[in-house]
Amino acid sequence: MGLHLHLLQAQLLVSVLLIFVSRSVSTQSNFQIGKPNCTDHCGNVSIPFPFGTREGCYFNKTFLVTCNDTHYDPPKPFWVDSNIDITIISLEGQMRVMQFIAKDCYSRDGTSSYYNEPSITLTDGFLVNNTANKFFVIGCDTYAHVSGWRGNRTYDTGCSSTCNDKDDLVDVSCFGLGCCQMSIPKQAWKVEVTLDSYHNLTTVWDFDNCSYGFLAEESAFTFSASSLSNLRNVKELPMVVDWAVGEETCEEARNNVSSYACKSEKSKCYEPDNGYGYRCRCQDGYEGNPYLDDGCKDIDECKDQSLNKCEKKCENTPGGFKCVCPKGYHGDGKKDGQGCMRGQLLVFKVATESSNDLLMHCGVLID
Ligand SMILES: *[C@@H]1O[C@H](CO)[C@@H](O)[C@H](O)[C@H]1NC(C)=O
Ligand SMILES: *[C@@H]1O[C@H](CO)[C@@H](O)[C@H](O)[C@H]1NC(C)=O
Ligand SMILES: *[C@@H]1O[C@H](CO)[C@@H](O)[C@H](O)[C@H]1NC(C)=O
Ligand SMILES: *[C@@H]1O[C@H](CO)[C@@H](O)[C@H](O)[C@H]1NC(C)=O
Ligand SMILES: *[C@@H]1O[C@H](CO)[C@@H](O)[C@H](O)[C@H]1NC(C)=O
Ligand SMILES: *[C@@H]1O[C@H](CO)[C@@H](O)[C@H](O)[C@H]1NC(C)=O
Ligand SMILES: *[C@@H]1O[C@H](CO)[C@@H](O)[C@H](O)[C@H]1NC(C)=O
Ligand SMILES: *[C@@H]1O[C@H](CO)[C@@H](O)[C@H](O)[C@H]1NC(C)=O
Ligand SMILES: *[C@@H]1O[C@H](CO)[C@@H](O)[C@H](O)[C@H]1NC(C)=O
């Protein structure tokens, strides 16, 4: 009977614990992300400050997000007043946008049947991420350029992709047959893609009647032989854009308290590795929005199974946690450390290994 009750209690405890864990996981990012009284999402896209949908809600006009709810369901966010549509904004300093792909298509006789030359223009410290994105050129009689501006200078680079026959494409990687890929320089804020062919695709037309070029998130595109025809139906692909909240260094930014963007007391400033401007992040052990007053909140590591490294009892502290061993135990309490060991002296441990009661007794004594 007693045992039965214990079992029931244990089960109850486990299920309560489970509910608790799943809830704490799903609410983990449930801190306030926008300014008070500001819309913090558009459709299913979160809009954390410094971004905002109206005056008073953004850091400055560069971080305006225009939410179009009249023509789109769910509503779609656009960057400032451009046609650049945003799919993710991260507080780590990235924004994912959809970018049109360039296409150059021909009829059998070599006359152009479709051509477009998309471009993207960013401003004020919004820059194309040069590590997450790659320039892809797809086609069997194709060369392409990506050009534009970085700082106050132009850049121009490109690659060429050919193949003689469909079976050149059995290799499903982008290594120069039917597909080439390359990096673009740091700090690009304007990107233009131009496509061209050597023979208007007449020599390859039976299996390839279009060329494609795009700067896109590398992980969003995998080349295969079917890309030649599948891309015909693709309008846009995601691209990663980096943002910074100021154009100066952290040291310079800190000099002006009123304009310094790292508002939360528990935030710190860092400079992104593309070499432009500064950003803010929460100090270790804190999470939330570093750009808001009091935006960084203490993480309760004890409630998070992946952070709670304690063997027995975990106590949350501001910015951290500590492991506590029950009375009669010693050690650092960490699962990957000493853990909690009974008693204090090896002599006692050995001597009392066979009797639990005695052991407890010994522990207390030592304490
Ligand atoms: C938010 O809106 C409420 C009700 O409209 C108002 O009472 C409150 O002062 C506003 N808070 C801020 C910070 O603007
Ligand atoms: C947002 O909604 C769009 C369209 O319904 C969907 O494709 C996309 O995956 C959603 N994004 C997130 C982050 O849920
Ligand atoms: C919403 O998008 C449509 C189609 O792109 C455009 O015509 C309209 O002006 C936009 N509305 C707003 C409020 O931006
Ligand atoms: C290109 O080929 C596809 C079939 O692979 C065909 O549907 C399309 O009409 C062709 N385009 C032109 C311009 O002939
Ligand atoms: C290739 O296409 C271009 C543009 O459509 C056209 O001006 C040119 O005459 C074509 N060349 C050939 C060899 O068909
Ligand atoms: C271009 O930018 C560099 C560094 O940002 C600056 O020193 C230089 O004066 C600028 N040149 C022009 C012509 O604006
Ligand atoms: C807004 O902030 C960005 C980043 O600090 C800066 O480059 C830009 O000049 C600012 N724009 C305005 C209108 O103040
Ligand atoms: C500090 O920033 C404020 C707001 O951006 C600006 O008006 C002021 O001129 C700056 N002060 C200095 C000393 O740069
Ligand atoms: C570029 O994107 C990658 C992957 O998202 C990220 O790790 C990196 O920090 C970004 N670069 C900058 C300068 O933000």
Side-chain angles (χ1 to χ4, degrees):
M1 181 62 187
L3 186 70
H4 192 75
L5 207 68
H6 269 313
L7 220 64
L8 214 71
Q9 275 176 341
Q11 264 170 4
L12 210 70
L13 193 73
V14 165
S15 40
V16 165
L17 226 76
L18 278 179
I19 290 167
F20 190 72
V21 164
S22 56
R23 180 161 309 160
S24 85
V25 165
S26 65
T27 56
Q28 203 164 36
S29 56
N30 234 356
F31 42 80
Q32 188 187 341
I33 59 163
K35 282 206 152 182
N37 290 0
C38 290
T39 311
D40 64 0
H41 65 277
C42 172
N44 60 4
V45 180
S46 297
I47 304 175
F49 186 78
F51 293 82
T53 57
R54 60 178 172 83
E55 210 185 326
C57 289
Y58 48 69
F59 181 68
N60 76 21
K61 194 86 191 285
T62 318
F63 295 93
L64 167 64
V65 172
T66 307
C67 191
N68 192 327
D69 52 10
T70 51
H71 282 67
Y72 301 97
D73 187 21
K76 234 180 184 183
F78 292 87
W79 184 52
V80 196
D81 49 7
S82 70
N83 62 351
I84 300 172
D85 80 82
I86 305 168
T87 57
I88 296 178
I89 296 173
S90 85
L91 277 170
E92 282 79 53
Q94 276 81 47
M95 171 168 103
R96 195 169 286 122
V97 303
M98 296 306 285
Q99 175 59 5
F100 288 99
I101 77 178
K103 300 184 186 181
D104 182 23
C105 301
Y106 292 88
S107 308
R108 182 180 282 281
D109 63 1
T111 55
S112 174
S113 66
Y114 181 86
Y115 184 78
N116 74 329
E117 210 176 84
S119 68
I120 188 165
T121 306
L122 308 166
T123 54
D124 294 317
F126 279 68
L127 299 167
V128 175
N129 184 307
N130 70 308
T131 53
N133 302 302
K134 284 280 181 304
F135 179 52
F136 289 98
V137 176
I138 317 294
C140 281
D141 174 32
T142 306
Y143 60 92
H145 285 259
V146 55
S147 58
W149 289 83
R150 48 187 300 270
N152 53 16
R153 298 180 183 177
T154 59
Y155 69 93
D156 186 337
T157 181
C159 65
S160 150
S161 158
T162 61
C163 50
N164 292 317
D165 201 273
K166 216 180 172 129
D167 61 19
D168 275 350
L169 302 172
V170 286
D171 186 354
V172 289
S173 328
C174 191
F175 284 137
L177 282 174
C179 177
C180 65
Q181 75 178 74
M182 56 184 305
S183 302
I184 65 152
K186 275 184 188 178
Q187 297 194 359
W189 55 267
K190 186 173 174 74
V191 174
E192 254 171 337
V193 174
T194 50
L195 283 171
D196 217 329
S197 70
Y198 298 99
H199 305 106
N200 288 8
L201 271 56
T202 49
T203 53
V204 295
W205 195 87
D206 288 334
F207 57 92
D208 176 23
N209 62 16
C210 286
S211 299
Y212 311 91
F214 45 88
L215 185 69
E217 189 173 8
E218 188 174 12
S219 57
F221 176 72
T222 309
F223 176 72
S224 73
S226 54
S227 301
L228 287 176
S229 48
N230 290 348
L231 281 169
R232 202 189 314 278
N233 307 314
V234 177
K235 267 205 174 111
E236 304 173 301
L237 282 170
M239 185 171 101
V240 179
V241 167
D242 299 324
W243 53 270
V245 77
E247 57 201 2
E248 58 276 70
T249 62
C250 284
E251 202 183 333
E252 289 162 355
R254 273 192 212 101
N255 286 332
N256 190 338
V257 178
S258 70
S259 65
Y260 184 51
C262 307
K263 294 290 184 212
S264 174
E265 194 196 333
K266 297 297 179 188
S267 68
K268 60 182 179 192
C269 183
Y270 73 100
E271 286 154 24
D273 52 18
N274 63 7
Y276 185 93
Y278 75 96
R279 291 181 191 148
C280 316
R281 65 160 63 109
C282 288
Q283 291 172 10
D284 291 344
Y286 293 83
E287 63 177 358
N289 190 335
Y291 300 96
L292 293 173
D293 291 321
D294 200 28
C296 294
K297 307 286 185 194
D298 176 46
I299 297 173
D300 190 343
E301 291 85 358
C302 298
K303 286 185 179 168
D304 187 327
Q305 269 192 329
S306 64
L307 298 176
N308 182 345
K309 300 258 175 3
C310 298
E311 190 180 274
K312 303 270 193 223
K313 189 162 186 264
C314 175
E315 268 177 22
N316 188 43
T317 62
F321 67 101
K322 62 181 191 218
C323 299
V324 180
C325 288
K327 263 216 162 92
Y329 290 74
H330 76 286
D332 63 8
K334 297 198 176 112
K335 276 182 212 155
D336 56 3
Q338 298 172 306
C340 291
M341 294 172 288
R342 281 179 168 167
Q344 261 179 340
L345 294 167
L346 197 64
V347 201
F348 281 102
K349 258 186 93 180
V350 173
T352 60
E353 205 147 48
S354 55
S355 159
N356 261 339
D357 288 346
L358 191 58
L359 190 73
M360 302 273 276
H361 191 65
C362 286
V364 173
L365 270 179
I366 293 156
D367 235 14

